[in-house]
Amino acid sequence: MTPFKLTEELLSEIGQLIENQQNSTLETMLEEVHYADIAEIINELNDGQATYLIKLLDSDKTSDVLTELDEDIREAILNNLSAKEIAGELEELDTDDAADIIGELPKEIVNEVISKIEDRDHAKDIVDLLRYDENSAGGLMAKELVKVRESWNVLTCVKEMRAQAENVTRVHSIYVVDDDDKLKGRLSLKDLLTTSTRSHISDVYIPKVDSVNVNEKPEEVAKIMSKYDLEAIPVVDEMGRLVGRITIDDIVDVIREEAERDYQMAAGISQDVEADDSIWDLTRARLPWLFLGLVGGVGAAAIMGGFEDMISKHAILFFFTPLIAAMAGNVGVQSSAIIVQGLANDDLKGGVGNRLIKEMLLATLNGLILAGVLLIFTWIYKGDFLTALAISISLVVVIIVAGLIGTFIPLFLDKRGIDPAIATGPFITTSNDIFGILIYFSIAKILLGI
Amino acid sequence: MTPFKLTEELLSEIGQLIENQQNSTLETMLEEVHYADIAEIINELNDGQATYLIKLLDSDKTSDVLTELDEDIREAILNNLSAKEIAGELEELDTDDAADIIGELPKEIVNEVISKIEDRDHAKDIVDLLRYDENSAGGLMAKELVKVRESWNVLTCVKEMRAQAENVTRVHSIYVVDDDDKLKGRLSLKDLLTTSTRSHISDVYIPKVDSVNVNEKPEEVAKIMSKYDLEAIPVVDEMGRLVGRITIDDIVDVIREEAERDYQMAAGISQDVEADDSIWDLTRARLPWLFLGLVGGVGAAAIMGGFEDMISKHAILFFFTPLIAAMAGNVGVQSSAIIVQGLANDDLKGGVGNRLIKEMLLATLNGLILAGVLLIFTWIYKGDFLTALAISISLVVVIIVAGLIGTFIPLFLDKRGIDPAIATGPFITTSNDIFGILIYFSIAKILLGI
């Protein structure tokens, strides 16, 4: 496969062709291009050009292109399309993607768009999906699936299946339901290939199938599907009735987004932003955490102001405050990141107490090594053993406390049902800065006198 | 689905049953438990108990359990198994998983284990896989796939396919090759269901199929598969011959591991560790970055020592050093995280120059807002406008420089072919601490005199 590469030349060529309305050249040129690549192209065009291309190309292709576009570009294009044109695109999409797009439309045109969808069953399925919370299994699932009744025989089943499979891109599993639509089990395509046509489904199906409740959180669904290596999972409602199916490609997106969100939180970016977003969006995402840092810094300054009387005799103590703050911050981030990851992967065993004891041992070990190095260095460099000792002892205590805070806060937040990932990054560094400096000066004051 | 939950009671019950050698009770109890759940149980047992269970249960189940275990537990168990027993486990596994396990075995027993695998074709496939770099498409792929020759007719194809499908857990696509095994295209199972048995494959196959080269990096494969929503992708060698297939479940693992690695790097943890690893492993993962922070802190202290003559008149300057260091660090991490993520997702457009200009505008905007707040606060609090102004102006400059460093370093590393993710976290905070404090005191000195 020669991978598609978006070049400046290609973009300007396409721009030119659009300006000159050379439709047939454009159509031929883009015929063999994958919809995900066309989406990459359109993301770089202006709104007018983008709309032109979407209107020009076949809706079986442009519908998929729409799902892959950046949200702001898609919004601009949909604004330029009539309700009938939008309905035409939705007609080609799987119900989950169609519902996602409807969710982004202005409320006042939703009804009109839905009324223009010709396939009324498809429209009904889409409307069904609209009532689910975006952040749930129901919000992720599609209505497209292949299901058969346990009362059928294999022949009926194959016939029905062929008809249903028309609407389903990838079949994966054939779900078996009873007469009340309750999920009973599954049939694999492979099994069906090797079974006599006269057998009854109730005799050949596997009466065991993983499923998730329609209210399950997407992250949970992702965890289940990746733990059990599933490529699709059926979704059931509160009565156990089969209402939809989630496929692995949607889960890959969930995993990616979750990882990006955690990463951004750890880096002190509070919204889902990208490098190409506007300066205003980026400011809104970054400023709140910086402001938190500012407040923390002012707090640290106030604490140091309280120890001002030490400055004449022990100025060197003040020179090491960035070191103390940095170490407290780094240790806190390290320990919280490990806990957050352990929580995310469900592989934290043992109670909070054990965690804290372990972190204390670990921080003590790290702290002693680092403080030892610092002690020797400061002693040689400044020649004042007592000050060097005071700084080093403070460092050990600060590291231990920072490690305990970093371990405790995410565990505490998780117990409270709050996403522990917010405890990583600026939040932990800021609080550890303040605690660290307070502990540092207090210990130094005790050891050195005034 | 009632999700499996590992409880202390269950563990102690199983431990008890093992001690009492109540084999049939154990077998019945674990019969319906998924292998991924059995792996969770075994991860918590001691080595002797773990080996006992693996020897007790059927190898068609234990082989899958082995692939899911923590690496150290698996190593301990394999140490307790004979070459013949290990071969028996490998017999049941797909070639990619079998090759991964062989890769972990001590070199001196590899040959013996392979010689004990009864299915010689399976052994040959496994050995083929051993020669690929773990960090490549070849290292990820399995030999299990369904392929047909373009010269066959549909009837032959279906017959051959049934035989091949015996060894393949999920068929996904049927790949079409020519007589030299060169990949030509694909057939979908669905297409095959609706085609007359007399047609020739060359007339019905789709002559277009995405594939990756055997040397492609796993992250690239993940990007391609998730961009094009593929659930399996064929792997070809340098001559275009079909040599294997990668499925989406392996890619889900790649994506997860990549995200965890980046997250850990940003948090200053240098190896792939988990909360339950030993204190020694955790120390080795955390200490290097803390040491870097220590060096940075000592550097900052040395810089402040150089400005010691300002301490008598402007002690307040020294109180704000943790604030300056924190802001420099936070801004640096924010900007580098956005760049690292943009690079990972391939959605950074435009040159380095444009990036830096944008970051400069952004940092200036953030810096002015934050410095404005700080100015007012310090002025009111301390009543010394000039000092407050000097601190605030320095803060703006520090934020701009920190943003530029945070933007430039990952771009520079990426250009050099180094993973830019190492630029996030402690690396950027430490360098920004030093630069920040140097800039801060230099500007303050210019504005305030000595």
Side-chain angles (χ1 to χ4, degrees), chain B residues 30-54:
Chain B
L30 295 174
E31 196 177 346
E32 292 292 305
V33 181
H34 191 280
Y35 63 80
D37 296 322
I38 295 185
E40 276 196 6
I41 295 172
I42 291 184
N43 278 334
E44 299 305 310
L45 299 177
N46 66 40
D47 295 350
Q49 294 174 327
T51 311
Y52 187 89
L53 259 195
I54 291 287

Side-chain angles (χ1 to χ4, degrees), chain A residues 18-42:
Chain A
I18 293 174
E19 296 313 317
N20 300 338
Q21 309 202 356
Q22 289 174 277
N23 294 351
S24 60
T25 317
L26 276 169
E27 280 168 330
T28 324
M29 189 170 167
L30 295 175
E31 197 177 344
E32 293 291 306
V33 181
H34 191 279
Y35 62 79
D37 296 321
I38 296 184
E40 275 196 8
I41 296 171
I42 290 184

Side-chain angles (χ1 to χ4, degrees), chain A residues 130-361:
Chain A
L130 292 179
R131 75 178 175 88
Y132 294 105
D133 180 5
E134 213 186 321
N135 195 30
S136 73
L140 271 183
M141 71 185 185
K143 286 289 189 180
E144 284 82 4
L145 51 80
V146 177
K147 69 175 178 189
V148 298
R149 292 200 190 283
E150 53 176 347
S151 51
W152 294 349
N153 64 25
V154 170
L155 194 67
T156 323
C157 170
V158 169
K159 234 189 275 166
E160 282 283 337
M161 236 190 68
R162 283 196 186 195
Q164 294 180 28
E166 284 296 302
N167 298 316
V168 181
T169 321
R170 288 159 188 149
V171 172
H172 292 292
S173 274
I174 302 143
Y175 301 118
V176 179
V177 295
D178 67 10
D179 291 337
D180 294 325
D181 244 8
K182 266 201 192 140
L183 181 65
K184 304 293 282 185
R186 68 191 161 85
L187 273 174
S188 77
L189 263 184
K190 227 173 84 183
D191 295 337
L192 212 63
L193 277 173
T194 49
T195 306
S196 137
T197 48
R198 279 156 300 183
S199 318
H200 254 82
I201 296 298
S202 50
D203 297 327
V204 296
Y205 83 86
I206 306 151
K208 210 182 157 229
V209 58
D210 292 316
S211 65
V212 289
N213 187 282
V214 78
N215 300 312
E216 191 66 88
K217 288 260 159 274
E219 297 81 38
E220 269 313 305
V221 182
K223 234 181 256 178
I224 292 169
M225 289 184 73
S226 77
K227 176 174 176 186
Y228 298 122
D229 280 348
L230 306 174
E231 300 193 338
I233 196 164
V235 182
V236 296
D237 69 6
E238 289 79 352
M239 293 176 64
R241 290 177 306 187
L242 178 63
V243 289
R245 183 186 69 152
I246 296 173
T247 48
I248 188 77
D249 53 322
D250 295 316
I251 289 305
V252 168
D253 295 339
V254 169
I255 293 173
R256 269 195 195 283
E257 280 162 25
E258 201 191 349
E260 295 200 351
R261 208 173 49 234
D262 284 358
Y263 185 70
Q264 291 196 325
M265 272 202 226
I269 306 168
S270 56
Q271 289 163 28
D272 184 29
V273 288
E274 284 166 23
D276 283 315
D277 286 346
S278 72
I279 288 187
W280 172 237
D281 284 339
L282 286 166
T283 299
R284 278 201 308 170
R286 289 168 57 165
L287 198 55
W289 293 111
L290 293 179
F291 195 77
L292 180 66
L294 190 76
V295 172
V298 168
I303 291 172
M304 288 165 77
F307 290 94
E308 195 168 359
D309 49 351
M310 298 178 78
I311 211 167
S312 54
K313 266 175 78 181
H314 302 291
I316 188 176
L317 284 181
F318 289 79
F319 301 164
F320 280 98
T321 48
L323 183 147
I324 295 292
M327 300 304 275
N330 288 352
V331 170
V333 168
Q334 285 181 336
S335 45
S336 65
I338 287 185
I339 297 292
V340 167
Q341 235 171 28
L343 288 169
N345 295 339
D346 261 352
D347 54 30
L348 276 195
K349 275 121 205 171
V352 174
N354 288 338
R355 286 284 138 210
L356 291 177
I357 290 170
K358 182 168 184 185
E359 177 61 33
M360 196 156 97
L361 291 174

